[in-house]
Amino acid sequence: QVQLAESGGGLVQAGGSLRLSCAFSGRTFSNPGMHWFRQAIGKEREFVAALTWVGGRTYYADSVKGRFTISRDNAKNTLYLQMNSLKPEDTAVYYCAANRGIESRKDNIAYWGQGTQVTVSS
């Protein structure tokens, strides 16, 4: 079982920055894919970014490429999402997720965190 706990959400003005953290514990896969998804009100949960824990290869949705950066701290078992140049359309609940590999389809994700709210005001 894997436990995921997000933190770092909040309210920020457009153009601002936030850093989300995801601390995880428990037994996981040998080389897990660690992900960030988000879900806005009335919309489907969508892929934001992902990273292979071994090797650190990164993947981004086109909508956040160049603005968001996914990273990890191996020693702390923590995943991060640095979000810069935030826009009102980035407003959503952001979820940390773990899977056997990289997966952009939410239905195939093995483990989810509880989510953290990010609100970007215009």
Side-chain angles (χ1 to χ4, degrees):
Q1 190 69 20
V2 175
Q3 292 80 42
L4 304 165
E6 304 95 335
S7 60
L11 173 64
V12 64
Q13 289 188 333
S17 299
L18 279 175
R19 188 177 79 156
L20 306 182
S21 300
C22 172
F24 66 93
S25 60
R27 295 187 64 181
T28 184
F29 311 106
S30 59
N31 182 16
M34 300 300 296
H35 305 68
W36 290 99
F37 282 74
R38 67 185 181 186
Q39 188 167 14
I41 295 174
K43 294 189 177 181
E44 292 284 322
R45 193 170 298 189
E46 65 176 4
F47 170 80
V48 175
L51 171 151
T52 57
W53 197 255
V54 177
R57 186 169 181 176
T58 58
Y59 305 81
Y60 295 94
D62 288 342
S63 58
V64 306
K65 204 171 292 184
R67 299 188 298 123
F68 291 10
T69 303
I70 189 171
S71 63
R72 75 206 192 285
D73 185 327
N74 291 38
K76 295 181 178 179
N77 272 5
T78 300
L79 181 74
Y80 301 101
L81 185 69
Q82 178 66 44
M83 305 185 294
N84 298 329
S85 302
L86 283 161
K87 305 175 181 180
E89 51 263 43
D90 294 318
T91 295
V93 177
Y94 283 71
Y95 295 91
C96 178
N99 205 61
R100 183 174 299 279
I102 299 299
E103 177 60 66
S104 63
R105 295 165 293 183
K106 60 178 176 59
D107 294 340
N108 295 341
I109 292 291
Y111 300 102
W112 293 99
Q114 292 299 306
T116 185
Q117 176 71 46
V118 171
T119 303
V120 184
S121 63
S122 57

